[in-house]
mmCIF file of all heavy atoms in Angstrom:
data_model
loop_
_atom_site.group_PDB
_atom_site.id
_atom_site.type_symbol
_atom_site.label_atom_id
_atom_site.label_comp_id
_atom_site.label_asym_id
_atom_site.label_seq_id
_atom_site.Cartn_x
_atom_site.Cartn_y
_atom_site.Cartn_z
ATOM 1 N N LEU A 227 0.325 4.248 10.087
ATOM 2 C CA LEU A 227 1.265 5.308 10.424
ATOM 3 C C LEU A 227 1.020 5.864 11.824
ATOM 4 O O LEU A 227 1.942 6.400 12.445
ATOM 5 C CB LEU A 227 1.216 6.417 9.373
ATOM 6 C CG LEU A 227 1.754 5.988 8.006
ATOM 7 C CD1 LEU A 227 1.578 7.087 6.979
ATOM 8 C CD2 LEU A 227 3.226 5.604 8.106
ATOM 9 N N ILE A 228 -0.201 5.761 12.333
ATOM 10 C CA ILE A 228 -0.436 6.092 13.738
ATOM 11 C C ILE A 228 0.320 5.097 14.617
ATOM 12 O O ILE A 228 0.995 5.473 15.584
ATOM 13 C CB ILE A 228 -1.936 6.060 14.073
ATOM 14 C CG1 ILE A 228 -2.669 7.190 13.343
ATOM 15 C CG2 ILE A 228 -2.156 6.173 15.586
ATOM 16 C CD1 ILE A 228 -4.178 7.180 13.549
ATOM 17 N N THR A 229 0.220 3.823 14.263
ATOM 18 C CA THR A 229 0.905 2.774 15.029
ATOM 19 C C THR A 229 2.413 2.950 14.968
ATOM 20 O O THR A 229 3.095 2.923 16.004
ATOM 21 C CB THR A 229 0.509 1.390 14.494
ATOM 22 O OG1 THR A 229 -0.913 1.242 14.547
ATOM 23 C CG2 THR A 229 1.157 0.293 15.318
ATOM 24 N N TYR A 230 2.957 3.130 13.765
ATOM 25 C CA TYR A 230 4.405 3.325 13.640
ATOM 26 C C TYR A 230 4.832 4.625 14.318
ATOM 27 O O TYR A 230 5.908 4.706 14.910
ATOM 28 C CB TYR A 230 4.810 3.341 12.169
ATOM 29 C CG TYR A 230 5.039 1.963 11.574
ATOM 30 C CD1 TYR A 230 4.726 0.811 12.283
ATOM 31 C CD2 TYR A 230 5.569 1.809 10.304
ATOM 32 C CE1 TYR A 230 4.937 -0.444 11.753
ATOM 33 C CE2 TYR A 230 5.797 0.553 9.753
ATOM 34 C CZ TYR A 230 5.475 -0.578 10.490
ATOM 35 O OH TYR A 230 5.698 -1.827 9.961
ATOM 36 N N GLY A 231 3.989 5.660 14.235
ATOM 37 C CA GLY A 231 4.297 6.922 14.889
ATOM 38 C C GLY A 231 4.394 6.780 16.397
ATOM 39 O O GLY A 231 5.138 7.525 17.056
ATOM 40 N N SER A 232 3.664 5.812 16.954
ATOM 41 C CA SER A 232 3.696 5.613 18.409
ATOM 42 C C SER A 232 5.021 5.031 18.882
ATOM 43 O O SER A 232 5.282 4.992 20.086
ATOM 44 C CB SER A 232 2.538 4.696 18.831
ATOM 45 O OG SER A 232 2.767 3.351 18.441
ATOM 46 N N TYR A 233 5.843 4.583 17.950
ATOM 47 C CA TYR A 233 7.157 4.043 18.294
ATOM 48 C C TYR A 233 8.288 5.014 17.951
ATOM 49 O O TYR A 233 9.464 4.644 17.952
ATOM 50 C CB TYR A 233 7.398 2.723 17.554
ATOM 51 C CG TYR A 233 6.324 1.673 17.764
ATOM 52 C CD1 TYR A 233 5.711 1.058 16.678
ATOM 53 C CD2 TYR A 233 5.927 1.299 19.049
ATOM 54 C CE1 TYR A 233 4.724 0.089 16.864
ATOM 55 C CE2 TYR A 233 4.945 0.338 19.244
ATOM 56 C CZ TYR A 233 4.347 -0.267 18.144
ATOM 57 O OH TYR A 233 3.372 -1.218 18.332
ATOM 58 N N VAL A 234 7.940 6.263 17.630
ATOM 59 C CA VAL A 234 8.920 7.255 17.180
ATOM 60 C C VAL A 234 9.405 8.107 18.350
ATOM 61 O O VAL A 234 8.617 8.535 19.194
ATOM 62 C CB VAL A 234 8.304 8.162 16.083
ATOM 63 C CG1 VAL A 234 9.221 9.343 15.773
ATOM 64 C CG2 VAL A 234 8.053 7.353 14.822
ATOM 65 N N SER A 235 10.682 8.383 18.363
ATOM 66 C CA SER A 235 11.288 9.212 19.404
ATOM 67 C C SER A 235 10.872 10.670 19.266
ATOM 68 O O SER A 235 10.599 11.158 18.164
ATOM 69 C CB SER A 235 12.818 9.116 19.306
ATOM 70 O OG SER A 235 13.437 10.133 20.050
ATOM 71 N N LYS A 236 10.830 11.373 20.401
ATOM 72 C CA LYS A 236 10.519 12.800 20.404
ATOM 73 C C LYS A 236 11.625 13.616 19.731
ATOM 74 O O LYS A 236 11.427 14.794 19.424
ATOM 75 C CB LYS A 236 10.327 13.294 21.839
ATOM 76 C CG LYS A 236 9.086 12.760 22.536
ATOM 77 C CD LYS A 236 7.814 13.337 21.939
ATOM 78 C CE LYS A 236 6.589 12.908 22.757
ATOM 79 N NZ LYS A 236 5.329 13.468 22.199
ATOM 80 N N LYS A 237 12.764 13.005 19.501
ATOM 81 C CA LYS A 237 13.877 13.714 18.874
ATOM 82 C C LYS A 237 13.709 13.824 17.358
ATOM 83 O O LYS A 237 14.403 14.606 16.712
ATOM 84 C CB LYS A 237 15.200 12.999 19.179
ATOM 85 C CG LYS A 237 15.555 12.963 20.660
ATOM 86 C CD LYS A 237 16.858 12.208 20.879
ATOM 87 C CE LYS A 237 17.216 12.145 22.371
ATOM 88 N NZ LYS A 237 18.468 11.402 22.594
ATOM 89 N N GLN A 238 12.809 13.024 16.799
ATOM 90 C CA GLN A 238 12.675 12.987 15.345
ATOM 91 C C GLN A 238 11.829 14.138 14.823
ATOM 92 O O GLN A 238 10.852 14.556 15.448
ATOM 93 C CB GLN A 238 12.062 11.655 14.900
ATOM 94 C CG GLN A 238 13.008 10.473 15.064
ATOM 95 C CD GLN A 238 12.635 9.314 14.174
ATOM 96 O OE1 GLN A 238 12.150 9.499 13.065
ATOM 97 N NE2 GLN A 238 12.878 8.103 14.638
ATOM 98 N N ASN A 239 12.207 14.615 13.651
ATOM 99 C CA ASN A 239 11.475 15.661 12.941
ATOM 100 C C ASN A 239 10.381 14.988 12.113
ATOM 101 O O ASN A 239 10.669 14.354 11.086
ATOM 102 C CB ASN A 239 12.439 16.449 12.052
ATOM 103 C CG ASN A 239 11.777 17.618 11.358
ATOM 104 O OD1 ASN A 239 10.607 17.577 11.017
ATOM 105 N ND2 ASN A 239 12.535 18.677 11.129
ATOM 106 N N ILE A 240 9.147 15.107 12.559
ATOM 107 C CA ILE A 240 8.040 14.416 11.893
ATOM 108 C C ILE A 240 7.845 14.901 10.462
ATOM 109 O O ILE A 240 7.613 14.099 9.548
ATOM 110 C CB ILE A 240 6.734 14.608 12.702
ATOM 111 C CG1 ILE A 240 6.801 13.827 14.006
ATOM 112 C CG2 ILE A 240 5.523 14.152 11.883
ATOM 113 C CD1 ILE A 240 5.575 14.004 14.883
#
Side-chain angles (χ1 to χ4, degrees):
L227 292 175
I228 293 176
T229 303
Y230 275 8
S232 72
Y233 305 127
V234 170
S235 165
K236 292 291 186 180
K237 297 179 181 179
Q238 289 202 34
N239 184 327
I240 290 178

